[in-house]
Amino acid sequence: MVATLLRLFLILLFTSSVFAQQISVKAITDSSDYLIGDHINYTLTISHSDEVGIVAPFFRDSLARFEIIKEFPVEKAKADGKNLLRYKYILSYFDSSEVTIPPIKIFYRTKNDTALQSVQSDSIQLKIHKVSVKVEEDIKDIKPPIRIPFDLLSLLIWILVAIAILVSAYLIYKKYFRKKPAEEVIKPEIILPPHEEALMKLDQLEREQLWQKGFVKDYHSRITEIIRVYFEKRFNLPALELTTSEQLEYLKLIPEAKEILNITESFLSNADLVKFAKFVPMDGVNAEMMKQAIEIVNRTAQKLKTEQGVEQNVQ
């Protein structure tokens, strides 16, 4: 009995070590000493093998103590047989102290195991200093304005630029703003309700049979784009610009969307695994994605119709 337990323990220990070698997270900054208000270049790099599927990370909350000046698009690369994901931020801090960027936890799944696992980066210690001021020095006078000599070539260039701007403005006015002849009839644009437009696009996608023809990644990209566009029009969310985690946080704040939170999380997470982790789903998962998308639209569309009916009754 003891030998069996020992053998199981060694197997678990070996398996954990293997997966630890398949994924790693490293966080770095360009320095450890900054002045107040300096730009802090922060980079988080995730290195993982093809056997590991990364759940789209959301770690802006971990940087809440800092002012986020800029967030760059995710960089994807491959090196030494590993997939690399780089998340880059420009941060700033406006107080003199020692401050810590906390460890960032990354969740992932392995190819043959659906259990959610995690790995995290090291924390980073930074020192923020005040700007030194030499109070004993005298205050210097303001420097006089610099006289720029007249340059005929620069004047000609500015005249040509002005002429080009005027010509461009006239052409734009002529094409877009000048009144058209009275006999020209402009047909009104037909705008479908968000749920009808989404269902029409889903029906068209299903008839194209992309995943049946082997275009699995294209199928998941198209179907999630349809639902994200629907969320933008239905709930007024910038869904196309949000990660899965950010989108779910926004949906939690919308009462009409609370009943679809679970199905939306499952829908978007499966699509992220296919698009970003090279996960190959079974045929049943592909078919289920279409059912979930239609259910998301129908359940929120029914809510919209009910609200319109209540408004009519009130009037």
Side-chain angles (χ1 to χ4, degrees):
M1 182 66 179
V2 174
T4 301
L5 291 176
L6 180 59
R7 190 180 299 110
L8 289 174
F9 174 76
L10 291 175
I11 292 173
L12 290 174
L13 183 63
F14 174 75
T15 303
S16 175
S17 175
V18 169
F19 284 122
Q21 294 174 4
Q22 291 182 341
I23 179 171
S24 63
V25 183
K26 184 177 181 181
I28 61 171
T29 56
D30 54 342
S31 178
S32 60
D33 288 82
Y34 297 92
L35 294 176
I36 292 176
D38 274 353
H39 282 186
I40 303 170
N41 293 297
Y42 174 75
T43 302
L44 181 79
T45 302
I46 305 173
S47 174
H48 68 91
S49 67
D50 293 336
E51 301 297 318
V52 174
I54 303 297
V55 178
F58 176 71
F59 51 88
R60 290 176 66 94
D61 291 345
S62 301
L63 306 176
R65 296 184 63 188
F66 297 83
E67 184 77 21
I68 298 179
I69 305 299
K70 186 174 182 179
E71 178 180 357
F72 294 92
V74 181
E75 295 180 3
K76 300 178 182 179
K78 209 168 181 68
D80 298 329
K82 293 292 185 70
N83 301 298
L84 301 179
L85 297 174
R86 290 191 181 92
Y87 296 82
K88 293 184 178 181
Y89 288 83
I90 296 179
L91 312 175
S92 192
Y93 198 77
F94 295 94
D95 190 13
S96 60
S97 63
E98 292 189 1
V99 64
T100 301
I101 299 179
I104 304 298
K105 181 175 289 188
I106 302 299
F107 293 94
Y108 67 94
R109 292 185 176 94
T110 58
K111 189 173 183 180
N112 298 320
D113 187 1
T114 58
L116 195 63
Q117 303 179 62
S118 67
V119 64
Q120 68 180 22
S121 66
D122 294 331
S123 61
I124 300 179
Q125 302 290 331
L126 302 177
K127 291 183 179 180
I128 312 298
H129 306 279
K130 293 181 179 179
V131 179
S132 59
V133 179
K134 298 179 180 180
V135 295
E136 67 277 4
E137 293 185 356
D138 294 334
I139 299 176
K140 298 181 179 179
D141 291 335
I142 298 175
K143 293 184 178 180
I146 300 174
R147 297 184 62 86
I148 301 176
F150 177 76
D151 186 354
L152 180 59
L153 179 59
S154 297
L155 178 61
L156 291 175
I157 292 174
W158 280 110
I159 292 174
L160 291 174
V161 170
I163 292 174
I165 293 174
L166 291 174
V167 171
S168 300
Y170 172 74
L171 293 176
I172 292 173
Y173 166 77
K174 183 178 179 180
K175 183 175 182 180
Y176 296 103
F177 298 100
R178 192 173 64 177
K179 292 184 179 179
K180 299 180 180 180
E183 63 272 9
E184 185 177 351
V185 178
I186 301 176
K187 295 182 180 180
E189 181 182 359
I190 299 176
I191 301 177
L192 294 175
H195 66 278
E196 291 186 12
E197 180 184 7
L199 291 174
M200 181 181 68
K201 291 180 179 179
L202 289 171
D203 180 67
Q204 180 181 352
L205 177 61
E206 188 171 25
R207 283 188 277 108
E208 291 180 18
Q209 295 188 336
L210 286 181
W211 67 265
Q212 294 91 332
K213 298 175 182 177
F215 301 102
V216 177
K217 186 174 181 180
D218 292 342
Y219 169 77
H220 283 260
S221 296
R222 287 270 300 280
I223 198 169
T224 52
E225 181 181 7
I226 292 171
I227 294 302
R228 287 175 182 270
V229 170
Y230 171 71
F231 282 163
E232 287 200 350
K233 296 181 178 180
R234 174 64 177 90
F235 300 119
N236 196 26
L237 292 179
L240 292 173
E241 303 172 6
L242 300 175
T243 64
T244 294
S245 300
E246 291 172 330
Q247 192 168 178
L248 292 172
E249 291 299 323
Y250 274 99
L251 289 175
K252 288 179 183 178
L253 304 177
I254 301 174
E256 297 92 336
K258 287 184 178 179
E259 63 184 69
I260 62 165
L261 283 177
N262 291 335
I263 189 173
T264 301
E265 182 177 9
S266 174
F267 174 81
L268 294 177
S269 296
N270 283 335
D272 285 346
L273 286 176
V274 175
K275 291 188 293 182
F276 304 121
K278 296 184 179 180
F279 174 71
V280 180
M282 295 186 294
D283 292 349
V285 175
N286 295 325
E288 183 65 20
M289 288 289 289
M290 180 60 69
K291 293 180 182 179
Q292 290 179 338
I294 294 173
E295 184 177 355
I296 289 170
V297 175
N298 282 334
R299 288 171 69 177
T300 50
Q302 182 63 39
K303 200 69 164 179
L304 178 61
K305 294 175 184 177
T306 301
E307 290 169 356
Q308 291 175 342
V310 171
E311 290 175 0
Q312 290 174 0
N313 293 334
V314 172
Q315 292 174 353

